[in-house]
């Protein structure tokens, strides 16, 4: 007799799994804890995923990862074009608004990619995001190759991912996520504007 899978329970399992993977990481997350959060048993959970890795890939499927990188690169393109960085918020940039909406809709998956994908096929994704953000920012720096600035930018963007991941774990409602991200972006973009764009004006370069 074929098993009858319940979509409501599946949704609760994925929600609980996303929360656990985002908070504790893949290795530390336990199927028993995920099942308890979802209001079911570990044995019943196996009807929906044969093992922890299969469950993880339901929470963070490859097509979601690819879509996130596309949206992130679309936003980074605004930095590389030399647009006024303080305007590159969700209110001033369609690319930023699209990225923010994606984060709010897939908050656990994005939090995992940003800070807790160790031990999974996505464990290099955090460093890839940091590298692409730092490289894009360096294109606006007048003196070209500057190892010290590159180091500082990587530290800044590492902290950026930690902050966004923390916001996505802390808040559930899209409007709360949006408000917190807007606060962070106002702070971050003003600092980057001063560091890179206004620094280029001081040296007489554009």
């Amino acid at each position: 007799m074929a098993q009858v899978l319940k979509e409501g329970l599946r949704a609760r399992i994925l929600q609980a799994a996303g929360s656990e993977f985002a908070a504790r990481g893949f290795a530390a997350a336990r199927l028993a804890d995920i099942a308890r959060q979802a209001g079911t048993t570990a044995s019943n959970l196996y009807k929906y995923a044969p093992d922890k890795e299969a469950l993880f890939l339901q929470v963070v499927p490859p097509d979601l990862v690819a879509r996130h990188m596309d949206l992130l690169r679309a936003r980074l393109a605004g930095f590389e074009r030399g647009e006024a960085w303080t305007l590159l918020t969700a209110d001033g940039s369609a690319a930023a608004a699209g990225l923010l909406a994606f984060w709010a809709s897939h908050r656990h998956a994005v939090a995992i990619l940003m800070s807790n994908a160790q031990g999974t096929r996505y464990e290099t994704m955090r460093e890839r995001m940091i590298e692409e953000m730092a490289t894009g920012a360096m294109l606006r720096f007048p003196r070209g190759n500057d190892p010290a600035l590159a180091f500082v930018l990587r530290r800044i963007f590492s902290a950026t991912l930690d902050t966004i991941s923390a916001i996505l774990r802390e808040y559930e409602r899209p409007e709360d996520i949006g408000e917190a991200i807007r606060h962070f972006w106002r702070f971050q973009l003003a600092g980057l504007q001063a560091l890179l764009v206004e620094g280029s004006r001081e040296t007489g370069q554009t």
Side-chain angles (χ1 to χ4, degrees):
M1 181 177 177
Q3 294 180 344
V4 178
L5 303 182
K6 300 177 181 178
E7 288 306 312
L9 178 55
R10 183 194 300 277
R12 292 201 305 275
I13 289 171
L14 293 180
Q15 173 71 14
S19 177
E20 280 292 296
F21 289 137
R24 303 180 63 183
F26 178 79
R30 299 172 63 243
L31 292 180
D33 294 333
I34 292 170
R36 188 179 309 112
Q37 283 193 43
T40 188
T41 63
S43 59
N44 198 36
L45 187 151
Y46 284 111
K47 299 176 183 178
Y48 295 83
D51 53 41
K52 187 163 70 169
E53 182 177 10
L55 181 58
F56 178 85
L57 290 176
Q58 289 186 44
V59 174
V60 194
D63 59 336
L64 182 147
V65 178
R67 178 60 178 156
H68 178 248
M69 289 305 295
D70 287 343
L71 290 168
L72 179 61
R73 287 166 180 151
R75 182 170 188 248
L76 293 178
F79 296 95
E80 295 169 10
R81 287 193 298 267
E83 296 176 11
W85 286 17
T86 53
L87 299 180
L88 294 176
T89 64
D91 298 322
S93 163
L99 184 60
L100 176 55
F102 185 90
W103 288 346
S105 297
H106 306 283
R107 66 188 188 93
H108 285 144
V110 174
I112 291 165
L113 292 173
M114 289 184 171
S115 65
N116 239 336
Q118 300 92 331
T120 77
R121 65 172 65 185
Y122 307 127
E123 64 184 357
T124 63
M125 190 58 63
R126 173 185 170 89
E127 288 305 314
R128 188 184 308 175
M129 285 187 276
I130 292 170
E131 183 63 28
E132 292 199 19
M133 288 188 287
T135 299
M138 286 291 287
L139 293 176
R140 295 290 297 135
F141 189 61
R143 294 202 301 268
N145 184 30
D146 184 330
L149 178 66
F151 172 80
V152 169
L153 286 171
R154 288 186 178 90
R155 296 297 299 172
I156 288 171
F157 290 123
S158 177
T160 292
L161 296 187
D162 289 339
T163 301
I164 294 171
S165 177
I167 290 170
L168 296 175
R169 294 194 307 272
E170 177 70 19
Y171 297 104
E172 295 184 12
R173 300 193 311 162
E175 52 267 42
D176 294 333
I177 292 171
E179 186 64 18
I181 294 291
R182 285 182 174 89
H183 289 320
F184 175 67
W185 273 347
R186 281 193 291 270
F187 160 79
Q188 183 200 43
L189 292 171
L192 289 172
Q193 179 95 9
L195 177 63
L196 299 172
V197 179
E198 293 175 12
S200 70
R201 292 173 184 160
E202 292 174 3
T203 62
Q205 300 181 50
T206 58

